[in-house]
Amino acid sequence: MNSRLLSNPSSSLQQSGGVFQASRGGTVRIHGGQFVQHNQAQGSHNCHDADDGLKHLQAHVATTAFDSGQHVDAPKCHPNTRQAVLDEIMKWIVLAVARVQWVLWLNGAAGAGKSAIGRSIVELCFQRNIPIARFFFFRTDSTRNNIKPLVATLVHQLLQSIPDLTPIVIPRIQRDSLIFTKSLETQFEYLIFDPLRELKRQSSFLRMLVLFFDGVDECDDHTDQASLIRIVANFVGSNSFPLIAFFASRTESQISTVFRSSAVAKVTRQLALDNNYLPDDDIRLFLQDSFMDIKNTHQFRSLLPIDWPGAPDVQEIIIKSSGQFIYASVVVNFISTPDLHPGQQLEIVRGLRPCGELTPFAQLDALYRHIFSQVRDIEGTSRILAWSILSQYKDLSFCAEFFELQEADVFVALASLKSVIDYEHGPIHFLHASLPDFLLDRTRSQEFYIDRATWSTRLSIRKFKFLALHGHRGYSDIDDYIAEAEATPALQECVLSFDPRQIDWTLGHTSGRGWAVYLSAIQQMDFGDGVGGCAYQQQLNVVVRYLSESTPSYLNEIEETHAIADILAQMDVEYFSTWKDASARQKWQNIKSINHLGADVSIAIQDLFRSEIEARDSDWTAREADLRRVLNQEKEVALKNALAAEREAHDSERRARDVEIREEKAAIERRWLDREAEIRREEREATKNQRRVPGAETHLEELGSSEHRKARETEVQHEEWGALPVAARVIRSRLARLFKS
């Protein structure tokens, strides 16, 4: 154990869980493989008994929060790095023109180097004689991971930088010995803000004063974080004293919310540590200098090649750093371990050598685990992260659609990871390229482990269901996830029910290589019937049939790794069995038997002949349709002719019947006329002889009744054919007159 890291190396240590307790109230914490002791003030301090204001103040100061020699604290920026951002911050601090923004918020991803920049700014302020009081929060140090010692620590530094404040502040502490137990706002107002106003009234102190708060996100209470920012921003914004405030933190949601509020935003300038400051160039310089130092000073330097490390190795570290200094720093610390070979250590970092019991990324892993411990729904968040890691598509809207979520649900699930993941400006992007490595390694991520096989299986099942419901949406191919999935009953059920011919591929399609990979993955799965079992055979059959109809050229890639000849042969049998030309079918069989011309030529001939037969069949089908159309037309004409002939025959029969009726009625009329003439003649003879013909009236009446009945029957018959002839009406009229007489 390095004794320099212990503030009291001679004290005896007792182990309690993972923390060693020092004998005189100190706490020794293990961090990154090192022991760090945080001593408490010796003896107990009772605020009620405080009679010396200065001692009372010092009892509440957290020395490590502003002047720490602990190994765990970030060092200042490496020489000649971060120069652009340092210059920009210092220009803001010494601004000569009228100031509008009294608060600066330096924000960035976890491990971006904010604390190192802050410590460099403190040093630059000292060099320029600019008073600066600072507080470095640190989550694993109980003396500075909360706001209790904050005001006392700031006041202690202000008294050192501005001695004129001492006669103002100390009496206040003596008058209110319980001031350090009161609210944060009360402490700020009573011990800092009001004394500064009084100082301004009493003296001509006009120098700019800086308050610097680093790692605000590492304060253990989110409410306290927000309160601190609001209290300080409100005072500096009032312009009642030449004071500016400098905050550095991650872009966590609770902090971003405060800085977006109107009261704070109007006096705040935000400075993001992004790629605009070319961090890769700074990281490269840091690595080059660090490796040069190792080659010059390490005890195993003679074992290192002259060109060690190679340029590709350095570039790999830069890429993994993703613009964040913490990864490069952790790598350098691990490689420079004094009693281990630097070359072998670098191979462990690159994954080329097993690490054994070594933990090359212990510090980085501790940071990641702390961040993930803040996630409320780790299952839902892990689902989205697994999709992002295992899928080639990263768009947040795709993710929401794939899981049938609202985009807001994805935002909420990732809200606690804003310091390591960016998702508000397009695709889901890991700010640390090393984060997926952490999540996919059980020994590193522990309870946050994302098992690649398990999640590949779950995502594959989800993919099959999504395709069945929505079709292909232009992202996430069929071969995604399946290659690393496990053969489970649920996955087997999805595979057996999948038929690409029933999927809507309007918005996208899978490549031939993708289908080959998919089939190979299914082939390697054992669903209880061995490798290449029923599920594979069934999928091979449906995929080949689908591709033969949609994109036959893809079959060439399928045929490279899968035996599809039998399926194609069966499809041919099914296909040419419908051909109408028997000679064509025989010719097709002959062409299929051609092998000596080579596969490509044979396939070309087969395709050509297939096209010819299809064209012929199409022509026959068209001709058959034409013949049926003509036949239908001829049938229609024949039916019309038959109806016309039947109608003509009916009309002819009617006309003949009309003639017969007219002739019969004419005969009746003639008989009536003849009989009438005969009766009149007999009447004249009777008159002449002065006697009536006996029974003549009765005979005439009977005759008239008989003839009337016949005429009426004839009339009824004729009414069925047309109007009653004029002759019949005449006869009836005459008979009526005869009966009357």
Side-chain angles (χ1 to χ4, degrees):
M1 181 174 61
N2 191 339
S3 60
R4 291 178 298 175
L5 298 175
L6 295 177
S7 54
N8 189 358
S10 61
S11 62
S12 59
L13 301 176
Q14 295 178 344
Q15 185 174 5
S16 176
V19 178
F20 290 89
Q21 299 296 331
S23 61
R24 288 182 288 182
T27 300
V28 180
R29 294 183 178 274
I30 303 175
H31 187 98
Q34 302 290 342
F35 295 94
V36 181
Q37 179 176 347
H38 304 296
N39 281 334
Q40 309 296 331
Q42 297 183 8
S44 60
H45 174 77
N46 192 334
C47 293
H48 296 279
D49 300 331
D51 56 356
D52 187 322
L54 183 59
K55 291 182 179 179
H56 188 31
L57 171 66
Q58 293 173 342
H60 292 85
V61 172
T63 306
T64 56
F66 69 96
D67 188 17
S68 174
Q70 296 175 3
H71 179 71
V72 295
D73 281 303
K76 295 184 291 291
C77 294
H78 185 76
N80 300 317
T81 63
R82 295 297 200 185
Q83 199 60 50
V85 66
L86 292 174
D87 290 343
E88 191 163 350
I89 294 173
M90 290 306 299
K91 287 180 182 178
W92 175 80
I93 291 176
V94 299
L95 185 66
V97 298
R99 184 180 295 275
V100 177
Q101 297 163 322
W102 299 84
V103 177
L104 177 66
W105 179 32
L106 178 67
N107 59 77
K114 300 179 294 296
S115 295
I117 291 173
R119 292 184 183 278
S120 295
I121 291 295
V122 170
E123 183 177 31
L124 291 173
C125 286
F126 286 163
Q127 293 174 0
R128 301 190 185 188
N129 199 29
I130 300 174
I132 180 169
R134 63 273 185 202
F135 194 97
F136 289 84
F137 288 95
F138 196 72
R139 64 178 177 277
T140 60
D141 186 348
S142 61
T143 67
R144 52 183 172 131
N145 63 1
N146 57 81
I147 62 169
K148 291 180 181 179
L150 174 61
V151 173
T153 304
L154 294 175
V155 170
H156 173 76
Q157 298 172 74
L158 290 175
L159 297 183
Q160 292 181 328
S161 301
I162 311 174
D164 290 345
L165 277 175
T166 302
I168 302 175
V169 173
I170 297 302
R172 288 173 174 254
I173 298 176
Q174 292 175 336
R175 286 195 298 269
D176 188 357
S177 60
L178 297 180
I179 183 60
F180 297 114
T181 64
K182 296 184 178 181
S183 69
L184 181 66
E185 185 172 9
T186 299
Q187 292 185 53
F188 262 110
E189 184 64 30
Y190 188 71
L191 297 178
I192 296 180
F193 299 157
D194 197 45
L196 288 177
R197 296 190 195 99
E198 185 175 344
L199 176 65
K200 184 178 180 181
R201 291 192 298 268
Q202 294 179 357
S203 68
S204 58
F205 183 87
L206 297 176
R207 286 188 300 164
M208 183 62 66
L209 175 63
V210 182
L211 296 182
F212 174 45
F213 305 92
D214 178 69
V216 180
D217 53 279
E218 301 201 28
C219 178
D220 60 6
D221 190 292
H222 290 180
T223 303
D224 290 341
Q225 297 173 14
S227 297
L228 169 61
I229 296 171
R230 288 195 182 97
I231 291 170
V232 174
N234 288 340
F235 176 72
V236 299
S238 67
N239 197 21
S240 58
F241 188 86
L243 173 68
I244 57 177
F246 175 21
F247 293 90
S249 75
R250 303 171 194 155
T251 54
E252 295 190 355
S253 56
Q254 73 279 2
I255 296 178
S256 299
T257 300
V258 179
F259 279 111
R260 283 196 299 266
S261 65
S262 58
V264 178
K266 66 182 180 181
V267 297
T268 300
R269 176 186 179 185
Q270 296 192 22
L271 191 63
L273 285 178
D274 52 27
N275 290 331
N276 291 332
Y277 293 104
L278 304 177
D280 286 357
D281 293 343
D282 289 338
I283 293 174
R284 185 184 305 278
L285 177 60
F286 165 71
L287 290 174
Q288 290 173 344
D289 290 349
S290 299
F291 283 130
M292 182 60 66
D293 185 61
I294 292 173
K295 292 170 68 174
N296 291 334
T297 63
H298 200 279
Q299 65 171 327
F300 296 131
R301 60 187 181 278
S302 60
L303 302 178
L304 297 173
I306 297 177
D307 57 352
W308 181 89
D313 300 341
V314 175
Q315 183 62 28
E316 182 179 343
I317 298 173
I318 294 173
I319 293 174
K320 283 284 187 179
S321 297
S322 305
Q324 321 305 336
F325 264 85
I326 186 171
Y327 182 84
S329 177
V330 167
V331 167
V332 168
N333 288 339
F334 181 73
I335 293 175
S336 60
T337 303
D339 54 349
L340 294 174
H341 190 296
Q344 295 177 352
Q345 295 291 87
L346 178 58
E347 291 178 356
I348 292 175
V349 168
R350 298 181 59 209
L352 303 179
R353 177 186 292 267
C355 61
E357 297 182 357
L358 297 175
T359 55
F361 304 106
Q363 182 180 353
L364 188 61
D365 295 346
L367 171 64
Y368 287 154
R369 284 196 294 270
H370 169 74
I371 293 173
F372 274 85
S373 68
Q374 311 301 311
V375 177
R376 290 184 175 88
D377 180 15
I378 192 63
E379 173 67 18
T381 302
S382 296
R383 174 176 60 172
I384 295 172
L385 293 178
W387 178 87
S388 183
I389 292 172
L390 301 177
S391 174
Q392 58 180 315
Y393 302 93
K394 312 295 184 183
D395 193 276
L396 185 142
S397 61
F398 291 168
C399 178
E401 183 179 18
F402 183 77
F403 290 113
E404 295 186 340
L405 301 171
Q406 299 294 325
E407 287 192 24
D409 297 329
V410 181
F411 273 75
V412 171
L414 300 178
S416 300
L417 302 177
K418 293 182 67 175
S419 61
V420 290
I421 295 176
D422 178 29
Y423 55 89
E424 295 182 339
H425 305 92
I428 299 175
H429 172 63
F430 290 95
L431 298 177
H432 292 246
S434 61
L435 181 57
D437 297 339
F438 164 80
L439 292 172
L440 296 173
D441 188 332
R442 186 191 299 273
T443 59
R444 296 178 59 188
S445 53
Q446 299 173 9
E447 68 269 29
F448 308 114
Y449 172 57
I450 292 179
D451 185 276
R452 184 183 290 271
T454 299
W455 279 105
S456 293
T457 305
R458 295 174 64 175
L459 292 174
S460 295
I461 293 173
R462 178 62 199 156
K463 163 49 69 71
F464 283 118
K465 294 180 179 179
F466 182 86
L467 285 174
L469 290 173
H470 307 290
H472 198 291
R473 304 293 295 169
Y475 60 87
S476 192
D477 287 334
I478 188 64
D479 57 313
D480 288 343
Y481 325 123
I482 194 70
E484 297 179 293
E486 297 174 313
T488 64
L491 181 59
Q492 181 185 24
E493 181 180 354
C494 291
V495 170
L496 291 174
S497 62
F498 175 68
D499 189 341
R501 293 171 293 185
Q502 300 176 0
I503 304 299
D504 180 8
W505 301 94
T506 305
L507 298 180
H509 60 85
T510 297
S511 65
R513 173 54 58 187
W515 283 113
V517 171
Y518 166 74
L519 291 172
S520 296
I522 301 299
Q523 184 182 26
Q524 297 302 317
M525 291 183 179
D526 183 1
F527 291 108
D529 54 356
V531 174
C534 294
Y536 166 69
Q537 297 298 333
Q538 184 259 4
Q539 283 297 286
L540 183 63
N541 183 56
V542 297
V543 169
V544 169
R545 290 176 179 273
Y546 162 70
L547 293 179
S548 66
E549 298 172 0
S550 61
T551 47
S553 60
Y554 286 179
L555 292 176
N556 294 329
E557 296 186 70
I558 302 296
E559 197 169 17
E560 292 178 1
T561 52
H562 301 275
I564 63 174
D566 292 342
I567 299 176
L568 294 176
Q570 178 61 30
M571 291 172 59
D572 289 337
V573 171
E574 297 170 0
Y575 178 75
F576 70 70
S577 64
T578 62
W579 291 355
K580 302 175 178 62
D581 191 341
S583 61
R585 291 198 298 270
Q586 182 58 48
K587 186 176 181 181
W588 171 254
Q589 290 284 22
N590 295 338
I591 290 178
K592 289 286 291 182
S593 64
I594 297 176
N595 294 320
H596 64 278
L597 296 178
D600 293 339
V601 176
S602 178
I603 291 175
I605 295 176
Q606 293 172 23
D607 291 342
L608 180 62
F609 184 69
R610 188 196 299 267
S611 300
E612 179 184 349
I613 295 301
E614 288 177 349
R616 185 183 301 176
D617 282 351
S618 177
D619 181 58
W620 283 351
T621 302
R623 290 177 58 191
E624 183 178 2
D626 291 340
L627 290 174
R628 287 179 179 174
R629 186 165 51 254
V630 171
L631 180 60
N632 290 336
Q633 292 174 353
E634 291 177 351
K635 286 182 179 179
E636 184 177 357
V637 171
L639 179 60
K640 289 181 179 179
N641 293 338
L643 291 175
E646 183 178 354
R647 190 180 298 109
E648 180 63 27
H650 177 74
D651 293 342
S652 178
E653 181 181 355
R654 180 176 178 177
R655 288 192 296 269
R657 182 59 179 162
D658 287 343
V659 172
E660 291 177 0
I661 291 174
R662 285 195 295 269
E663 291 177 352
E664 184 177 354
K665 289 183 177 181
I668 293 172
E669 185 178 0
R670 285 193 300 273
R671 287 197 301 273
W672 272 98
L673 292 174
D674 291 345
R675 185 56 179 162
E676 183 180 10
E678 183 180 353
I679 291 173
R680 291 187 183 280
R681 188 170 55 252
E682 289 178 356
E683 286 180 347
R684 285 193 300 268
E685 289 177 359
T687 301
K688 191 177 199 181
N689 297 325
Q690 294 184 351
R691 64 181 183 85
R692 295 182 64 86
V693 178
E697 183 177 351
T698 302
H699 179 72
L700 183 59
E701 184 178 339
E702 292 176 354
L703 178 62
S705 178
S706 175
E707 291 298 331
H708 177 74
R709 184 169 58 254
K710 290 182 180 180
R712 183 58 184 166
E713 291 175 356
T714 302
E715 182 181 356
V716 171
Q717 291 177 358
H718 193 269
E719 284 178 353
E720 297 176 355
W721 295 88
L724 183 67
V726 176
R729 291 197 296 273
V730 172
I731 293 172
R732 184 170 59 183
S733 176
R734 289 179 179 178
L735 286 173
R737 288 196 304 270
L738 179 62
F739 292 147
K740 183 176 182 181
S741 63

